[in-house]
Amino acid sequence: MAPLPLLPFQRLILDEILEEDALSIVARGLGLSRILAELSRVCATSKALVFLLHTNDDDVSELQYQLMQMRSGEANSQAPEVTVLNSEKNAQMRGQVYRQGGVICVTSQVLILDLLNDVVPFELVTGTVIFNASRVTAESTEAFILRILRQKSPKAFVKAFSDSPEHFTLGFAGLEKTLKVLGLRHVHLWPRFHVAVQKDLSRLATPVVEFRQPQTRAMVELQHAVLGCLKASISELCASTHVIDTETINVEASLFRYFDAMVKRQLDPYWHRLSGRVRGLANDLASLRRVAEYVTAYDCVSLQRYLDALL
């Protein structure tokens, strides 16, 4: 079965990222893997050496599936392949693969060793594509790789992608820190309410029937009880230590998954000076937030087992 062509807005995303080095933040469900496959098609040539970093097994499988569809739909042309490298091949074999060029998906641990040991031919490096860029930090191996490549191959491009825009809102200046780590100056934002996205998706709209399952009375009572415990714990934590920002640490914020990370981030610099009671309150907040989430996520038997284990 031949692959479907890129939608117009997907073509715009690809054209923008090809024009300049940038971080492209795309909403979930807009076909980022398909765009990445098209980018791999453009870069896959023996005259270029492009590294694909920060991918997991699912990302690689999806990319290979997309490229396989391209090959099945193009009888007269050879669609590109992405070479996957890991520690199973020795340094000499990896060096031969690097010299053959193309798009190479390699683990960060393997690539950093090859860069430090001069296994990678720096004169052939054309660029680097970073996937899941929202999880790249200043202390990560990917940041170290980019610093080395900027020194050894200053003309190589850097293009980054992410479909997790909410990660850039965590902490202080999350987006600016990521751009600094990646060495990029430009950001391309593609939310679902973008005019081009809405225009294309509205033409392909399908009827949606929404069913709403109301909560039982016991579930509502459970949620009220857990929220009451959360409110009391947050109040006690704020009263016990003055390092908590009460504007960000509140009951409303406790309903989101990043709440645990927010509390930990604010307490980490003072953790060694906090009493055991304050540390226990911080751990209790994480447990209570999970209970509030599991009330609607678990069935009654699983929830009972979790509560019994927690007790």
Side-chain angles (χ1 to χ4, degrees):
M1 182 174 128
L4 294 174
L6 288 179
L7 293 173
F9 79 85
Q10 292 175 329
R11 178 60 61 183
L12 286 174
I13 296 174
L14 181 61
D15 291 342
E16 276 194 348
I17 202 70
L18 287 173
E19 287 178 1
E20 61 180 0
D21 290 359
L23 167 62
S24 184
I25 304 176
V26 184
R28 284 191 183 91
L30 297 186
L32 184 56
S33 60
R34 182 74 176 87
I35 298 169
L36 188 60
E38 286 290 338
L39 180 62
S40 300
R41 177 210 290 266
V42 175
C43 298
T45 170
S46 58
K47 297 180 180 180
L49 175 58
V50 178
F51 296 117
L52 181 58
L53 298 179
H54 213 240
T55 57
N56 53 39
D57 294 339
D58 293 336
D59 297 330
V60 175
S61 299
E62 178 64 24
L63 179 60
Q64 289 178 332
Y65 173 75
Q66 296 285 353
L67 294 175
M68 183 182 65
Q69 282 194 319
M70 291 182 186
R71 288 192 292 273
S72 64
E74 299 180 1
N76 298 325
S77 63
Q78 293 184 352
E81 291 188 7
V82 172
T83 304
V84 180
L85 278 185
N86 49 39
S87 57
E88 294 179 0
K89 292 185 177 181
N90 58 39
Q92 183 178 0
M93 297 173 64
R94 294 197 299 270
Q96 294 175 355
V97 174
Y98 293 142
R99 289 179 177 83
Q100 292 174 0
V103 179
I104 299 179
C105 181
V106 57
T107 59
S108 302
Q109 292 77 12
V110 170
L111 182 57
I112 191 63
L113 289 176
D114 291 343
L115 291 174
L116 294 175
N117 294 326
D118 291 330
V119 177
V120 176
F122 290 100
E123 68 277 4
L124 298 180
V125 177
T126 309
T128 307
V129 178
I130 307 290
F131 202 52
N132 300 313
S134 59
R135 297 200 294 268
V136 176
T137 63
E139 297 79 19
S140 62
T141 308
E142 290 79 14
F144 190 21
I145 290 173
L146 291 175
R147 286 198 294 270
I148 295 177
L149 289 176
R150 277 195 291 268
Q151 294 174 0
K152 301 286 187 176
S153 304
K155 295 183 179 180
F157 66 76
V158 176
K159 304 182 187 298
F161 295 90
S162 176
D163 60 354
S164 302
E166 67 277 2
H167 284 283
F168 296 101
T169 64
L170 302 180
F172 177 73
L175 179 58
E176 289 82 352
K177 290 179 180 177
T178 302
L179 289 174
K180 184 178 180 180
V181 170
L182 297 174
L184 298 174
R185 296 183 178 180
H186 304 285
V187 182
H188 301 160
L189 300 177
W190 287 91
R192 191 171 288 272
F193 55 82
H194 193 286
V195 175
V197 177
Q198 281 193 333
K199 180 181 178 181
D200 293 337
L201 296 184
S202 61
R203 292 188 292 105
L204 305 172
T206 56
V208 178
V209 180
E210 181 178 355
F211 293 94
R212 181 178 179 275
Q213 176 64 40
Q215 293 183 342
T216 63
R217 181 178 178 181
M219 293 174 67
V220 174
E221 292 177 354
L222 273 172
Q223 286 184 326
H224 285 315
V226 174
L227 289 177
C229 294
L230 278 170
K231 184 177 180 179
S233 299
I234 292 173
S235 299
E236 191 172 354
L237 180 64
C238 293
S240 302
T241 176
H242 300 291
V243 299
I244 293 292
D245 182 8
T246 55
E247 293 185 0
T248 57
I249 305 301
N250 49 51
V251 179
E252 290 77 14
S254 67
L255 301 178
F256 298 96
R257 292 189 176 183
Y258 59 77
F259 178 73
D260 303 344
M262 289 175 56
V263 175
K264 184 178 179 182
R265 189 179 297 111
Q266 294 189 21
L267 293 179
D268 265 350
Y270 315 95
W271 190 260
H272 62 286
R273 290 162 33 190
L274 299 177
S275 64
R277 178 168 164 274
V278 174
R279 295 182 184 182
L281 283 172
N283 293 329
D284 289 344
L285 284 176
S287 299
L288 288 170
R289 191 201 60 78
R290 284 193 293 269
V291 171
E293 179 183 353
Y294 294 160
V295 168
T296 55
Y298 282 3
D299 60 83
C300 56
V301 177
S302 300
L303 180 61
Q304 181 65 41
R305 287 177 179 173
Y306 175 77
L307 293 176
D308 288 342
L310 193 61
L311 291 175

